[in-house]
């Protein structure tokens, strides 16, 4: 059974930092791109960042470039999202999922392959 379990969310003041973790199991981790997505209240899911399983290429949405960093520990089957300089508009439930993206097309976004899990809530206060 494919499982991706998110953790690390919480309440933080604007300008603060959080690190999210995504622990994967049930599939060959090295074979899949993995991405982070978020859903703010009343909005659609948004692809935040994803990583290519082929060469480690990274994609970031414009809204998080320069502030968020995705990293992967293949030995632990875990993907992280370091979030710095957080803003109130980053408030959302964050999800990870196996991902498809047309690399290296800059205009191609991350697309989730899996159904959404429970996610982890990030709340940024102003």
């Amino acid at each position: 059974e494919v499982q991706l379990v998110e953790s690390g969310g919480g309440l933080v003041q604007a300008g603060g930092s959080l690190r999210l973790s995504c622990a994967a199991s049930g599939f060959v981790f090295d074979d899949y791109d993995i991405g982070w997505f978020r859903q703010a209240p009343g909005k659609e899911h948004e692809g935040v960042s994803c990583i290519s399983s082929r060469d480690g290429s990274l994609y970031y949405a414009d809204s998080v470039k320069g502030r968020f960093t995705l990293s992967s520990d293949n030995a632990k089957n875990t993907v992280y999202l370091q979030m710095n300089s957080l803003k109130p508009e980053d408030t959302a439930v964050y999800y990870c999922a196996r991902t498809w993206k047309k690399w290296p097309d800059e205009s191609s976004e991350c697309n989730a392959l899996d159904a959404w899990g429970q996610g982890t809530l990030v709340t940024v206060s102003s």
Side-chain angles (χ1 to χ4, degrees), residues 22 24 27-32 34 51-56 70-80:
C22 169
F27 62 96
V28 180
F29 187 79
D30 293 353
D31 286 351
Y32 287 87
I34 303 289
I51 184 167
S52 168
S53 61
R54 185 174 66 87
D55 62 6
L70 187 154
S71 61
S72 178
D73 185 337
N74 287 22
K76 295 183 178 180
N77 286 6
T78 301
V79 173
Y80 304 96

Side-chain angles (χ1 to χ4, degrees), residues 75-118:
K76 295 183 178 180
N77 286 6
T78 301
V79 173
Y80 304 96
L81 186 68
Q82 177 67 43
M83 306 186 297
N84 298 330
S85 302
L86 283 161
K87 305 176 181 179
E89 51 263 45
D90 294 318
T91 294
V93 179
Y94 284 72
Y95 304 88
C96 61
R98 294 180 299 175
T99 304
W100 177 87
K101 178 186 172 346
K102 188 178 179 182
W103 304 95
D105 186 347
E106 289 287 333
S107 65
S108 172
E109 298 178 347
C110 312
N111 298 280
L113 296 175
D114 298 301
W116 304 115
Q118 64 179 16

